[in-house]
Amino acid sequence: MKDIHFTKMHGIGNDYIYIDCSDGEPEELPELAVRLSDRHKGIGGDGIILICPSDRADFKMRIFNADGSEAKMCGNGSRCVGKYVYDKGLTDKKTVTLETLAGIKTLDMKTSDGKVESVTVDMGKPVLTPAEIPVVTDIPLSVDIPVQTSLGKVRVTAVSMGNPHGVIFTEDLSDEFVLTLGPELEKHPMWPDRANIEFARVDSRHHITMRVWERGSGETMACGTGACATAVAAQLTGRADSDVTIALAGGDLSISLGGDGHVYMTGGATTVFEGTVTI
């Protein structure tokens, strides 16, 4: 038996259990993620995030979803890592680099009274080549792929932001539509590694309302990489401009498509509570 100190944090409702792994990582991480993420029998969350030393960046982030699968990237989670390491005095830098399985990301922290209020993450360049997303399609740039579903035909734009996303532009954000097609499309054969599915309603060229079904977690209140993928897809299809606010159940994210081809995401990060769990 071993006691592990944890911090519960969320980025506009996308909640994870954060563990400082400066002295080493716990064992059996997939099983631990399933156990701790259980909202009835555990701490509760969309997964666990480990904050580890790195020989390539200031810190390293590992993400395990609520079903135990390891994710390559989490935009909301990366912002919370920035707040964690600054607020807890692990760094005094307001710009830090973060190693992820999707590459090294740069976090710029805005602070007030010695605490992080918001974080801008350089999410890098979106991946649009089908084989690299990956998605199975013959359509160049993976834009508006026609897919037959149990609720009829939809068009999916595939984007990778370090993890695969399928964006559907629709006026229907109902539970029937989202909760039926979310799990159906997550595991559709077009995705070799499954995918996150975004349902996006374009309100204007600078505002989009979105619901998200996350691979390995189900519907969540927010998804940072999903918001970025939606902004990219909206610009690709001529629906929105380069600066857009994405409204999610947990709050808003500001997404900017830079002239350098990178996607920049800005949003808040919140510490909820801390505790110790025996494993």
Side-chain angles (χ1 to χ4, degrees):
M1 305 290 282
K2 178 182 178 182
D3 288 340
I4 291 182
H5 186 77
F6 68 88
T7 302
K8 179 72 178 291
M9 306 181 75
H10 76 84
I12 62 169
N14 196 190
D15 61 333
Y16 285 88
I17 300 149
Y18 292 77
I19 301 171
D20 183 349
C21 295
S22 300
D23 296 325
E25 299 178 8
E27 297 179 354
E28 300 180 348
L29 289 169
E31 293 82 0
L32 182 65
V34 171
R35 173 187 164 189
L36 297 186
S37 299
D38 191 303
R39 296 189 184 276
H40 298 286
K41 299 178 181 179
I43 298 167
D46 292 326
I48 65 173
I49 289 183
L50 312 180
I51 303 169
C52 311
S54 172
D55 55 9
R56 300 176 55 216
D58 293 314
F59 300 93
K60 177 181 177 181
M61 174 175 73
R62 294 189 70 188
I63 311 136
F64 288 84
N65 295 317
D67 70 350
S69 59
E70 185 167 11
K72 290 185 177 180
M73 180 56 188
C74 175
N76 291 319
S78 66
R79 295 199 316 278
C80 288
V81 169
K83 179 175 178 64
Y84 186 106
V85 298
Y86 186 88
D87 287 4
K88 289 185 173 294
L90 301 182
T91 183
D92 60 0
K93 298 193 296 184
K94 293 185 180 180
T95 298
V96 299
T97 53
L98 183 63
E99 179 185 351
T100 76
L101 289 178
I104 295 176
K105 309 301 179 183
T106 300
L107 316 179
D108 288 311
M109 273 90 78
K110 179 181 178 182
T111 63
S112 177
D113 297 326
K115 301 292 184 181
V116 171
E117 280 192 336
S118 66
V119 182
T120 297
V121 185
D122 179 351
M123 299 290 286
K125 294 182 178 181
V127 175
L128 304 172
T129 304
E132 295 177 10
I133 291 174
V135 61
V136 179
T137 179
D138 295 327
I139 296 179
L141 293 183
S142 307
V143 173
D144 282 340
I145 304 167
V147 181
Q148 190 64 43
T149 75
S150 61
L151 296 181
K153 183 182 289 186
V154 298
R155 293 191 176 273
V156 179
T157 295
V159 180
S160 174
M161 292 301 309
N163 49 5
H165 293 269
V167 182
I168 300 168
F169 291 103
T170 177
E171 292 296 314
D172 188 354
L173 297 181
S174 67
D175 282 352
E176 179 185 7
F177 194 71
V178 172
L179 301 183
T180 299
L181 293 192
E184 182 177 325
L185 288 172
E186 173 198 354
K187 300 175 182 178
H188 192 281
M190 67 189 291
W191 309 107
D193 299 326
R194 297 186 295 159
N196 304 275
I197 307 300
E198 284 75 38
F199 302 87
R201 184 187 70 215
V202 179
D203 304 313
S204 74
R205 295 195 65 82
H206 294 283
H207 193 279
I208 295 173
T209 301
M210 187 186 95
R211 290 180 69 175
V212 57
W213 181 273
E214 287 202 60
R215 174 181 64 171
S217 295
E219 185 178 18
T220 59
M221 294 184 71
C223 176
T225 55
C228 293
T230 296
V232 170
Q235 189 184 51
L236 278 175
T237 58
R239 290 178 166 92
D241 294 333
S242 58
D243 295 313
V244 64
T245 296
I246 307 290
L248 303 110
D252 294 351
L253 289 174
S254 297
I255 311 297
S256 177
L257 309 182
D260 57 0
H262 287 220
V263 181
Y264 295 87
M265 174 192 62
T266 300
T270 302
T271 299
V272 184
F273 62 87
E274 300 191 7
T276 301
V277 63
T278 301
I279 63 170

